[in-house]
Amino acid sequence: MAQNSSRMAGRHFLHIPGPTPVPDRVLRAMDTPMIDHRGPEFAKLAKKCLDGIKTIFKTTNPVIIYTATGTGAWEGALVNTLSAGDKVLMVETGQFGALWKKMAEKLGIVPELLTTDWRTGVDPKVIEARLREDKNHEIKAVCVLHNETSTGCLSPIAEIRKAIDAAGHPALYMVDTISSLASADYRHDEWGVDVSVGGAQKGLMLPPGMSFNAISDKAIAANKTAKLPKSFFAWDEMLAMNKVGFFPYTPATLMLFGLDTGIEMLHEEGLDNVFARHDRLAEATRRAVKHWGLEILCRDAKYYSPTLTAVLLPEGFNADSFRAMALETFNISYGASFGPFAGRYFRIGHLGDINDAMLMGCLSVTEMALQLFGVPIKKGGAQVAMDYLVTAHGGAKKQAAE
Ligand code: PLP
């Protein structure tokens, strides 16, 4: 009979939708002696990172790098562009949409919240209709999430821009791209976003603790008149210091070494290939889930997220207990559930430095865990995912050509 053991052999399967697995190469880049953050070596590193991160957001404007988690960059976006009492239009696509709104309230902003059933992305028509009603242009900003991490729904950022323009509305456009940047196509300049909020611990493959504001000329102009109090998150001092390769405070030096390497790796693979890989892994996951006979929380295929899939368990099965059992038995972590669906779904993260082999480990284990937990599934979902991946890689055609 097996003894009780405190050690689990093999590696942990981290399938939460961020923090994502940090590649060894990034870890090694961060494993380096401390340098003077006012010295020439630092300035060189900082300038490289400040230039490099622009290529990820696809902007020619400055990107602010905060030594803070994504929540800090949310705050940076709001306090640098708005004044107390300003009205903003926000959408509760899920838990993170709700949290950003809560933050806005605490800061003295007046959010108007459009709600959803937490199973779709943002409908551009709804934004356009609300903005058309706002004849006096009281709404100063439209704030949406590109990818709602709590539900696995992706919103159409370019179309929402078109909706704002169609309404002829001058509101700033702010987008949270924390769980989509460097894993789903994102274009700050081309899509006319004024402030893009990013985070380190997802597609960028870094540990948590660094976040970003990509900013447009219009956002920089708004910053000149925005009256909300700000100090640590203020853009002006940061922009002035960044010009010469420094920060107004001691930045997370080792994270910058990691960021530099993460950006280098993304370009070595090619951003379009990175996006295609995420699309492929997401599609394989969804095919497995559908074969099992389980429901995907995102109920409309046009909003499917390429970075995570939230899976509803049937009535009577507690998803938190399922996650605990899977962790204990198979050393795998899934994301938790929130809000009206708390306890009803688990989230499979398939973003960051992850490949087909890692995904198949995850899906095979998930199929076993579901069976162990007694969920009535149709076996063979992992096989269906494998069949899809074979096809996606060229299938029999590739063999025949050789
Ligand atoms: N926005 C989104 C979409 C997120 O997924 C998260 C965290 O996962 C946040 C904001 C908050 O970021 P952080 O936890 O790094 O502060």
Side-chain angles (χ1 to χ4, degrees):
M1 211 173 100
Q3 287 173 262
N4 279 343
S5 169
S6 57
R7 183 182 120 73
M8 296 198 90
R11 76 160 173 84
H12 177 65
F13 272 66
L14 185 67
H15 280 279
I16 57 172
T20 61
V22 179
D24 290 352
R25 189 165 144 194
V26 170
L27 288 173
R28 282 200 297 274
M30 294 176 71
D31 182 9
T32 186
M34 206 48 65
I35 58 169
D36 173 12
H37 66 290
R38 306 273 181 223
E41 192 187 343
F42 181 88
K44 216 169 124 198
L45 170 70
K47 281 185 182 165
K48 205 166 161 223
C49 287
L50 288 161
D51 281 344
I53 193 67
K54 292 184 194 183
T55 64
I56 304 297
F57 279 98
K58 297 197 176 155
T59 180
T60 52
N61 262 18
V63 177
I64 306 283
I65 302 179
Y66 288 124
T67 300
T69 70
T71 305
W74 262 354
E75 184 159 340
L78 299 176
V79 296
N80 278 288
T81 54
L82 299 166
S83 301
D86 277 355
K87 205 175 203 185
V88 296
L89 190 63
M90 294 181 134
V91 189
E92 191 187 284
T93 36
Q95 175 75 357
F96 291 103
L99 287 178
W100 202 9
K101 180 239 177 192
K102 217 184 245 181
M103 171 186 276
E105 280 171 341
K106 286 185 197 159
L107 293 170
I109 298 161
V110 184
E112 178 179 321
L113 193 67
L114 300 171
T115 52
T116 71
D117 62 358
W118 286 41
R119 299 194 66 177
T120 67
V122 178
D123 181 350
K125 285 198 218 79
V126 175
I127 301 281
E128 183 178 336
R130 180 61 194 98
L131 292 180
R132 280 187 190 279
E133 281 169 19
D134 183 37
K135 302 256 184 288
N136 297 330
H137 298 164
E138 283 172 16
I139 294 170
K140 299 300 174 207
V142 174
C143 304
V144 297
L145 277 75
H146 186 203
N147 190 67
E148 175 53 78
T149 324
S150 65
T151 64
C153 296
L154 190 85
S155 289
I157 298 308
E159 274 97 278
I160 298 170
R161 168 79 266 168
K162 284 187 201 138
I164 298 171
D165 292 344
H169 201 289
L172 290 165
Y173 185 25
M174 305 205 207
V175 178
D176 172 331
T177 179
I178 288 179
S179 60
S180 51
L181 188 72
S183 32
D185 188 15
Y186 191 80
R187 309 173 194 192
H188 174 88
D189 285 1
E190 192 185 319
W191 293 350
V193 182
D194 294 303
V195 187
S196 294
V197 177
Q201 74 272 30
K202 317 252 182 192
L204 288 171
M205 311 177 287
L206 298 174
M210 179 182 272
S211 55
F212 312 92
N213 278 173
I215 54 187
S216 70
D217 290 338
K218 189 170 159 186
I220 295 171
N223 182 238
K224 306 265 185 278
T225 54
K227 294 198 179 53
L228 279 178
K230 53 199 151 292
S231 171
F232 180 81
F233 291 112
W235 289 345
D236 49 2
E237 245 182 278
M238 184 76 103
L239 289 171
M241 293 291 283
N242 281 175
K243 268 195 188 131
V244 286
F246 297 113
F247 284 69
Y249 49 76
T250 320
T253 319
L254 296 185
M255 289 289 284
L256 288 167
F257 279 111
L259 177 64
D260 180 34
T261 301
I263 294 170
E264 196 174 86
M265 289 170 72
L266 287 165
H267 286 309
E268 275 173 22
E269 184 176 351
L271 282 180
D272 288 343
N273 294 329
V274 170
F275 305 148
R277 170 167 57 83
H278 281 82
D279 285 342
R280 182 175 77 244
L281 299 183
E283 179 60 24
T285 305
R286 290 190 295 263
R287 287 185 185 218
V289 173
K290 287 176 187 169
H291 181 89
W292 292 328
L294 298 178
E295 209 181 331
I296 294 171
L297 184 64
C298 180
R299 62 176 161 74
D300 187 341
K302 76 171 182 253
Y303 295 120
Y304 278 160
S305 165
T307 62
L308 75 132
T309 303
V311 184
L312 279 159
L313 288 186
E315 279 302 316
F317 291 91
N318 184 287
D320 296 337
S321 309
F322 169 73
R323 288 188 304 110
M325 186 280 295
L327 176 62
E328 201 174 297
T329 315
F330 295 116
N331 202 7
I332 187 166
S333 294
Y334 305 108
S337 49
F338 298 96
F341 297 93
R344 295 202 37 213
Y345 67 86
F346 65 101
R347 291 171 298 151
I348 302 174
H350 32 74
L351 73 161
D353 190 39
I354 156 172
N355 61 22
D356 300 56
M358 292 157 86
L359 183 80
M360 283 321 306
C362 165
L363 295 178
S364 305
V365 157
T366 305
E367 184 157 338
M368 289 193 283
L370 288 164
Q371 289 174 71
L372 259 185
F373 202 60
V375 181
I377 57 162
K378 183 172 166 206
K379 286 189 215 175
Q383 181 64 56
V384 167
M386 284 198 283
D387 292 345
Y388 170 74
L389 291 173
V390 168
T391 311
H393 283 289
K397 260 194 318 200
K398 196 169 179 177
Q399 292 291 324
E402 277 171 6

